[in-house]
Amino acid sequence: MKLKLLNELKNAVISAPLNFEFGGVTFKFTAKIKLVPESELKTLTEKQGANDAEIVRTLLVGWDDFFDDGKEVPFDKSTLEELLVYNGITARLSVECINAQYRITEKN
């Protein structure tokens, strides 16, 4: 690979602030989303039987500032699975995981 900058993207994580309401409950936290090459994203989203939960399990690698009952919730797979029981939350997280792949941050 000629561009060394692109090599740095192999381990990049995107911070995506989320603030949404589902069933009258507000979810507000910063999602940590794995950056993947277009080919991997295409494979993940176009394969037969792909679903939102699988996309989230693959791309969501953490979160910050997620509070429940006044206590910070550490990211772990079991807590993620609790969230994925609700299709509305799963779909919202999946959309954000995909959209984050295309978001560019302007620098001054």
Side-chain angles (χ1 to χ4, degrees), residues 59-73:
L59 298 179
L60 184 64
V61 295
W63 55 55
D64 289 330
D65 304 319
F66 190 158
F67 292 92
D68 182 39
D69 196 28
K71 297 177 186 170
E72 190 158 10
V73 178

Side-chain angles (χ1 to χ4, degrees), residues 7-27:
N7 205 28
E8 293 179 32
L9 293 177
K10 289 181 180 178
N11 297 311
V13 174
I14 304 160
S15 292
L18 294 176
N19 187 359
F20 62 91
E21 186 178 302
F22 181 70
V25 177
T26 300
F27 292 85

Side-chain angles (χ1 to χ4, degrees), residues 22-81:
F22 181 70
V25 177
T26 300
F27 292 85
K28 183 177 180 180
F29 59 94
T30 302
K32 300 296 183 178
I33 300 166
K34 177 181 168 184
L35 179 65
V36 295
E38 180 66 26
S39 59
E40 188 175 335
L41 186 62
K42 185 175 182 178
T43 299
L44 184 61
T45 57
E46 291 183 353
K47 73 179 178 180
Q48 187 173 10
N51 62 40
D52 287 334
E54 184 177 348
I55 291 167
V56 174
R57 286 183 191 106
T58 302
L59 298 179
L60 184 64
V61 295
W63 55 55
D64 289 330
D65 304 319
F66 190 158
F67 292 92
D68 182 39
D69 196 28
K71 297 177 186 170
E72 190 158 10
V73 178
F75 179 83
D76 64 41
K77 296 294 182 181
S78 64
T79 306
L80 177 60
E81 290 303 320

